[in-house]
Amino acid sequence: MTVNLFADLLISANVQAQLPKGYRIRPLAIDDYDRGVLKLLSQLSVVGEVSKDQFIERFEHMRNLKTYFITVIHEESTDRTVAVGTLVVEYKFLHECGKIGHIEDIVVDDSQRGKKFGQRLIDQLQYTARAIGCYKVILNCTLHNVPFYEKCGLHQKDVQMANYFEPLLIREEEKIQRENWRKFEHRRNSGLGLSPMAERSFHQMLHEVEEARLNKLRETDDERDERQVGTTIAGVLSEEEKVQTVTGSLKILTIETKTDGAK
Ligand SMILES: CC(C)(COP(=O)(O)OP(=O)(O)OC[C@H]1O[C@@H](n2cnc3c(N)ncnc32)[C@H](O)[C@@H]1OP(=O)(O)O)[C@@H](O)C(=O)NCCC(=O)NCCS
């Protein structure tokens, strides 16, 4: 039996009745991972790599919180999710411990737009919000989508402010670099050619790696020189100095003796 994010009872029979035959509006299910729900979300923003295990873990987390009402429209003939939208509930002290519904991440598959699926999703999310006692719903959107939300009965109020934190961008950059490196290595190992620009940056990377390796080797040579000087000089040490060498002060002796020798 499939696991749903929230109770099926919260789905409006009226919204379902307005969908074309062969489409069902329902809570997100744990097996929607295999029905392309993340691919759908990637039409809105970056999803990145999310394994099935990660999806299940996040799904269970949201289910336990009981404040997430992610809703999908399912196309029965293809067994795919063709639209998805989120309602997240915020609990407040204001308004006599009231609740607000935040509408988030609305996407209709680009092959299915213009069939009122977007509007039906918003109808459903507003229905859920009322059913669980929210006194309003709010959302952020681009100016481009304002007319769509107006058609769904919402109106413009106030402005949105944002601050995007840098670590996220750095992580993205690192991921891109890792991916580029993997592609370079794959093409090199499989004998495929690189574009002249890619070839240059690849060689630059190899050069940097080689430089780092040589630096390490140079250090080793210096250490070896120091050891050899110590050995040579130890040959002309007095018996007393040899005893000192054996008891562990070779390095100091080496430096002193070398200085004497250079005079
Ligand atoms: C925005 C989106 C969800 C709309 O879904 P949809 O199923 O194509 O829209 P609907 O068919 O339900 O449209 C309902 C009404 O809004 C209108 N509408 C939809 N998008 C519109 C837009 N960008 N500008 C103006 N009107 C729009 C439709 O023409 C329709 O009008 P009608 O009732 O006069 O026929 C969909 O285009 C989408 O997924 N876009 C990419 C992701 C995105 O931007 N999501 C919103 C994040 S805030």
Side-chain angles (χ1 to χ4, degrees):
M1 209 183 96
T2 187
V3 182
N4 285 343
L5 188 62
F6 61 92
D8 222 6
L9 280 172
L10 283 169
I11 299 297
S12 153
N14 189 32
V15 173
Q16 175 61 55
Q18 290 180 69
L19 288 176
K21 206 168 168 288
Y23 293 89
R24 200 158 81 81
I25 189 157
R26 58 163 175 75
L28 178 77
I30 204 158
D31 38 14
D32 281 333
Y33 181 89
D34 300 316
R35 297 195 182 96
V37 74
L38 295 186
K39 202 157 169 243
L40 189 56
L41 279 170
S42 71
Q43 293 179 29
L44 176 66
S45 189
V46 180
V47 174
E49 280 170 35
V50 177
S51 68
K52 192 164 181 175
D53 284 348
Q54 285 174 304
F55 179 85
I56 291 172
E57 195 185 323
R58 180 53 53 93
F59 180 96
E60 289 297 359
H61 181 70
M62 289 172 168
R63 199 161 77 99
N64 291 334
L65 287 173
K66 300 190 192 311
T67 51
Y68 280 81
F69 298 87
I70 304 177
T71 303
V72 299
I73 296 179
H74 177 217
E75 185 180 46
E76 285 163 352
S77 61
T78 57
D79 194 24
R80 307 296 288 169
T81 50
V82 294
V84 62
T86 298
L87 175 82
V88 192
V89 176
E90 178 194 346
Y91 285 79
K92 304 182 81 72
F93 288 120
L94 290 173
H95 295 268
E96 299 177 341
C97 292
K99 283 179 269 182
I100 293 181
H102 293 263
I103 291 179
E104 292 279 337
D105 305 342
I106 304 296
V107 203
V108 174
D109 187 83
D110 50 15
S111 66
Q112 306 266 355
R113 290 182 192 163
K115 293 183 178 177
K116 298 269 197 294
F117 287 160
Q119 196 166 338
R120 298 300 161 240
L121 262 181
I122 302 296
D123 289 347
Q124 175 56 49
L125 298 179
Q126 295 202 76
Y127 176 89
T128 309
R130 293 175 84 129
I132 59 179
C134 294
Y135 68 91
K136 70 172 178 184
V137 290
I138 53 176
L139 61 87
N140 296 315
C141 72
T142 57
L143 280 176
H144 170 78
N145 282 322
V146 168
F148 164 69
Y149 289 112
E150 284 176 342
K151 289 256 159 91
C152 300
L154 290 99
H155 58 273
Q156 260 181 283
K157 191 166 188 303
D158 304 329
V159 290
Q160 178 201 36
M161 298 186 70
N163 187 6
Y164 285 76
F165 299 121
E166 201 161 333
L168 184 67
L169 298 178
I170 292 170
R171 270 210 308 279
E172 275 307 305
E173 230 167 65
E174 280 174 353
K175 221 166 75 188
I176 291 166
Q177 274 171 6
R178 268 203 309 278
E179 179 60 11
N180 281 343
W181 178 257
R182 194 190 60 75
K183 280 186 196 157
F184 278 137
E185 287 215 308
H186 169 72
R187 291 186 74 94
R188 187 183 57 163
N189 295 339
S190 60
L192 289 168
L194 297 171
S195 72
M197 216 168 101
E199 183 82 35
R200 266 199 304 279
S201 45
F202 185 52
H203 281 291
Q204 178 63 28
M205 269 194 274
L206 287 181
H207 176 72
E208 281 166 15
V209 171
E210 183 61 8
E211 269 294 295
R213 193 182 69 82
L214 287 176
N215 278 340
K216 210 165 170 212
L217 272 184
R218 272 182 215 122
E219 277 166 24
T220 316
D221 282 348
D222 289 348
E223 281 164 13
R224 195 180 306 120
D225 285 352
E226 199 171 70
R227 261 202 322 280
Q228 279 170 356
V229 169
T231 318
T232 317
I233 294 167
V236 290
L237 292 178
S238 67
E239 282 309 307
E240 193 190 327
E241 284 169 331
K242 278 181 193 163
V243 172
Q244 279 180 307
T245 307
V246 173
T247 55
S249 44
L250 173 65
K251 197 153 185 178
I252 300 162
L253 271 177
T254 302
I255 295 163
E256 283 172 355
T257 317
K258 193 179 175 189
T259 313
D260 285 350
K263 269 182 189 169

